[in-house]
C-alpha cells in the first residue's frame, strides 16, 4: 500500500515538473507543442510528424500516459494556456478513452505493435540483408519464404497459451483490479526465443504478480464472462501488449542476425538452391549489422507505415491553428 501511495506522490510531482517544463518551452516557442508519453516515442512519431505537417513544432516527452493526460487537463484548464496549439499522444493500452481533436490515441495497444507485422519484417530483411540486390534474390523467393516464416511463427506466438494467459492477467489487472500504477513487467515477463526452428516461450511470474490465491476465483470468473477478453484474443496483433509483440519480432530478427541463426541458415539454403553448381559462393543471408533490432524503435522507424488515423489527426490538428 505504501508503494502505491509513493507511486501516486511521485506521479503528482512529475506532473508539476513537466508542467513547469512546458511553461518554459512555451515562453520560447509560439509553435505547436506535441506532448508524448516516453523517451522512445519521438523516434516513432518524429518521422510521421515531419511528413504530415509543415509548421514548426517542439516535442515534450513526459514519464507515462497518466502524466500526459494530467498535463492535458492542467493546460486546458489554465487561463493562459488553454487555447495553446498543443497536442497530446498516448497509447491505447487496455483503456476505453476516446480520441479528441487534440488527443491522439493509438488504434493498437501501443506504438510497439506497429513494429510487429509481416510488412515491417519484410522491409527489414530487404534493406538490412541486401535482399534488394537482384543478383541475390532475383525471383523474391528468399523474401517471400522469410515473410511466410514470420507469419507462421507470429500466428503460433499469438495462439501460445502462455502469451494469452499473460495478456489476460494484464487486462484483469488494469480493467478489473483498476491497478494503473504497477508496471506490468513487475507482474509477468515472457522469455521468447527461436530454438531449433521452433518458437519457445517461457513465462515468469514476478514479485507483483496479481493473481494471488485469494484472487483466483474472481480471475476465473473474468476469463469466463469478460466481453473484452475474446475481442483481444481475436485481434492479438493489435490488442496484445506491444512490448511482447516487439520482443517476438526481435527474436525473429536475432535468428537472422548471424550466420548460425536459424533464419539465416534457412535463407542461405534457398540462396544456394538458386545457384548453379559452378556459381556457388560463400555468401550468407544475414543482417549487415548484427546489433540491428537491439534498439528496434529507432532501428526500424524508417520501415513503419504511417497509420492513416495519425496522418489524419496531424493534418486536422494543423488546420485548427
Amino acid at each position: 500500500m505504501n508503494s502505491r501511495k509513493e507511486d501516486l506522490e511521485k506521479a503528482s510531482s512529475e506532473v508539476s515538473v513537466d508542467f513547469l517544463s512546458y511553461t518554459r518551452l512555451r515562453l520560447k516557442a509560439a509553435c505547436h507543442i506535441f506532448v508524448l508519453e516516453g523517451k522512445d516515442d519521438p523516434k516513432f512519431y518524429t518521422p510521421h510528424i515531419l511528413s504530415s505537417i509543415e509548421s514548426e513544432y517542439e516535442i515534450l516527452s513526459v514519464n507515462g500516459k497518466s502524466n500526459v493526460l494530467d498535463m492535458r487537463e492542467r493546460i486546458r484548464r489554465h487561463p493562459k494556456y488553454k487555447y495553446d496549439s498543443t497536442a497530446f499522444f498516448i497509447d491505447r493500452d487496455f483503456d476505453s478513452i476516446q480520441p479528441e481533436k487534440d488527443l491522439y490515441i493509438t488504434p493498437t495497444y501501443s506504438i510497439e505493435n506497429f513494429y510487429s507485422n509481416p510488412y515491417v519484417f519484410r522491409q527489414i530483411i530487404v534493406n538490412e540483408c541486401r535482399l534488394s540486390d537482384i543478383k541475390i534474390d532475383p525471383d523474391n523467393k528468399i523474401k517471400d519464404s522469410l515473410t511466410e516464416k514470420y507469419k507462421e511463427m507470429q500466428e503460433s506466438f499469438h495462439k501460445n497459451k502462455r502469451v494469452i494467459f499473460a495478456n489476460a492477467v494484464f487486462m484483469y489487472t488494469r480493467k478489473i483490479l483498476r491497478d494503473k500504477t504497477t508496471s506490468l513487467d513487475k507482474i509477468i515477463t515472457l522469455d521468447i526465443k527461436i530454438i531449433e526452428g521452433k518458437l519457445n516461450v517461457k513465462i515468469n511470474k514476478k514479485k507483483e504478480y496479481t493473481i494471488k490465491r485469494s484472487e483466483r476465483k474472481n480471475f476465473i470468473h473474468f476469463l469466463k464472462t469478460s466481453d473484452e477478453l475474446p475481442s483481444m484474443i481475436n485481434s492479438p496483433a493489435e490488442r496484445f501488449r506491444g512490448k511482447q509483440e516487439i520482443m517476438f519480432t526481435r527474436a525473429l530478427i536475432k535468428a537472422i542476425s548471424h550466420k548460425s541463426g536459424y533464419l539465416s541458415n534457412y535463407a542461405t539454403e534457398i540462396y544456394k538452391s538458386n545457384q548453379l553448381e559452378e556459381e556457388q559462393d560463400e555468401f550468407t543471408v544475414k543482417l549487415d549489422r548484427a546489433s540491428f533490432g537491439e534498439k528496434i524503435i529507432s532501428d526500424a522507424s524508417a520501415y513503419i507505415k504511417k497509420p492513416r488515423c495519425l496522418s489524419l489527426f496531424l493534418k486536422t490538428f494543423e488546420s485548427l491553428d
Side-chain angles (χ1 to χ4, degrees):
M1 196 72 178
N2 288 336
S3 176
R4 185 80 53 88
K5 183 178 179 181
E6 289 171 2
D7 286 341
L8 291 172
E9 290 175 348
K10 181 181 177 183
S12 177
S13 175
E14 287 172 346
V15 171
S16 298
V17 172
D18 292 338
F19 184 73
L20 180 59
S21 297
Y22 175 85
T23 59
R24 289 172 174 170
L25 182 59
R26 181 52 81 194
L27 284 173
K28 299 177 183 178
C31 58
H32 302 306
I33 294 180
F34 298 134
V35 182
L36 312 181
E37 278 194 47
K39 62 180 181 179
D40 287 332
D41 286 25
K43 297 168 186 174
F44 168 74
Y45 281 108
T46 298
H48 302 310
I49 292 172
L50 284 171
S51 64
S52 296
I53 69 172
E54 298 180 1
S55 308
E56 293 185 5
Y57 67 91
E58 294 285 350
I59 285 179
L60 182 65
S61 294
V62 299
N63 184 28
K65 178 178 183 176
S66 61
N67 287 346
V68 174
L69 295 174
D70 288 342
M71 275 274 286
R72 177 176 179 262
E73 183 177 1
R74 193 164 183 172
I75 288 169
R76 294 307 174 214
R77 288 184 175 183
H78 198 285
K80 183 177 180 180
Y81 303 113
K82 62 182 179 179
Y83 298 119
D84 280 7
S85 182
T86 304
F88 306 84
F89 299 75
I90 60 173
D91 293 336
R92 180 169 298 280
D93 302 328
F94 294 118
D95 294 330
S96 302
I97 304 171
Q98 295 301 310
E100 303 283 351
K101 63 182 181 181
D102 66 339
L103 177 64
Y104 176 77
I105 304 174
T106 58
T108 56
Y109 178 93
S110 68
I111 61 171
E112 282 88 351
N113 295 72
F114 293 132
Y115 289 75
S116 302
N117 58 69
Y119 172 83
V120 173
F121 183 73
R122 188 182 183 94
Q123 294 305 309
I124 289 171
I125 60 175
V126 167
N127 291 282
E128 303 294 335
C129 298
R130 289 188 268 174
L131 295 185
S132 60
D133 189 335
I134 196 170
K135 294 179 181 178
I136 295 174
D137 193 23
D139 56 2
N140 290 336
K141 190 174 181 180
I142 300 176
K143 292 189 281 287
D144 291 344
S145 297
L146 287 174
T147 303
E148 284 304 310
K149 276 289 182 185
Y150 182 94
K151 291 179 180 178
E152 290 171 11
M153 288 194 173
Q154 187 178 46
E155 183 177 2
S156 175
F157 177 70
H158 287 155
K159 290 181 177 179
N160 185 282
K161 292 182 179 180
R162 291 176 179 137
V163 176
I164 294 173
F165 175 77
N167 281 278
V169 170
F170 295 151
M171 178 178 276
Y172 182 81
T173 301
R174 293 293 194 243
K175 302 283 287 186
I176 306 302
L177 298 181
R178 299 185 183 280
D179 181 349
K180 303 290 186 181
T181 59
T182 303
S183 167
L184 295 181
D185 287 335
K186 292 181 180 179
I187 298 172
I188 284 178
T189 60
L190 294 179
D191 291 330
I192 305 165
K193 296 179 181 178
I194 307 299
I195 300 176
E196 296 181 353
K198 295 184 179 180
L199 182 69
N200 183 273
V201 179
K202 291 184 178 180
I203 194 167
N204 304 303
K205 297 176 182 177
K206 311 300 281 188
K207 184 178 180 180
E208 301 293 333
Y209 180 65
T210 44
I211 315 301
K212 307 295 185 183
R213 184 183 297 274
S214 60
E215 200 61 44
R216 288 178 185 171
K217 186 176 180 180
N218 292 333
F219 179 62
I220 292 172
H221 178 74
F222 165 75
L223 294 178
K224 292 179 178 179
T225 62
S226 171
D227 292 330
E228 291 189 71
L229 187 60
S231 176
M232 177 185 71
I233 293 172
N234 289 333
S235 303
E238 295 80 27
R239 300 289 306 280
F240 278 6
R241 189 185 180 207
K243 185 170 183 178
Q244 292 169 352
E245 292 295 301
I246 217 167
M247 286 171 62
F248 162 78
T249 295
R250 190 181 285 120
L252 270 289
I253 291 172
K254 188 174 181 180
I256 200 169
S257 64
H258 50 86
K259 63 182 181 181
S260 60
Y262 165 70
L263 288 184
S264 178
N265 287 330
Y266 175 76
T268 300
E269 286 301 314
I270 297 174
Y271 168 74
K272 290 181 177 179
S273 70
N274 285 340
Q275 292 182 303
L276 297 174
E277 188 172 343
E278 61 271 18
E279 295 175 341
Q280 294 284 320
D281 57 34
E282 298 300 316
F283 178 75
T284 299
V285 179
K286 63 180 181 63
L287 294 172
D288 286 334
R289 293 182 289 154
S291 63
F292 183 93
E294 291 178 6
K295 297 180 179 180
I296 196 169
I297 299 296
S298 54
D299 288 344
S301 61
Y303 306 131
I304 306 299
K305 277 185 176 179
K306 178 165 55 180
R308 292 182 63 185
C309 57
L310 176 57
S311 179
L312 180 62
F313 173 85
L314 289 167
K315 290 178 180 178
T316 302
F317 178 78
E318 187 177 35
S319 70
L320 296 174
D321 190 24

